[in-house]
Amino acid sequence: MSDNSDQRNNYKYFTPITTRWMDNDIYGHVNNVVYYSYFDSVANQFLIEEGGLDIHSAEVIGFVVASNCQYKSPIAYPDKIDAGLRVNKLGNSSVEYGIAIFKQGAETASAVGTFTHVFVNRATDKSVAIPAQIRTSLVILLT
């Protein structure tokens, strides 16, 4: 990730997310594991909406093989947030996304991370080339 990975202008696709009461932990902020759910949501929403992924019957699907998150500042219910998405690396069968979580209106992220999908044949679980329509959508997000 670049040094400016925590700045909103380094992301090309956004989806709004409303935090939920259950996202908060005993310390009064969104629990660390919930951020991975946000990461999964923005990446898959992009694949469905922009890449044409049919999550129920597509022959090729994406498996998460790696993820990480660095927490910069807390968020808490009832914050409204934006999840930003970009593509850091695009291979033949894999993509590494850069993802950031921003409080709505904030230019600096509360959390940043990466999320890697390897595309596989649903029936065999063997890696395959990223389908053309998905690849075309991902190229637009390359940084």
Side-chain angles (χ1 to χ4, degrees), residues 36-136:
Y36 290 98
S37 172
Y38 300 157
F39 286 9
D40 209 11
S41 293
V42 67
N44 283 293
Q45 181 174 329
F46 176 83
L47 292 174
I48 293 164
E49 291 182 355
E50 304 298 326
L53 177 64
D54 179 345
I55 59 172
H56 299 292
S57 59
E59 184 178 315
V60 175
I61 56 176
F63 282 174
V64 175
V65 298
S67 60
N68 73 68
C69 185
Q70 293 83 48
Y71 307 96
K72 307 283 187 176
S73 62
I75 58 174
Y77 176 82
D79 286 337
K80 290 180 176 26
I81 59 176
D82 295 318
L85 183 71
R86 66 184 189 190
V87 170
N88 293 339
K89 298 177 194 167
L90 185 59
N92 180 54
S93 63
S94 67
V95 57
E96 180 189 272
Y97 307 99
I99 301 176
I101 304 299
F102 300 89
K103 287 185 181 179
Q104 280 188 349
E107 293 301 315
T108 301
S110 293
V112 296
T114 63
F115 197 74
T116 303
H117 269 149
V118 170
F119 288 83
V120 301
N121 177 287
R122 185 190 295 262
T124 66
D125 289 343
K126 302 288 185 202
S127 68
V128 296
I130 299 170
Q133 184 178 354
I134 292 174
R135 175 175 289 285
T136 298

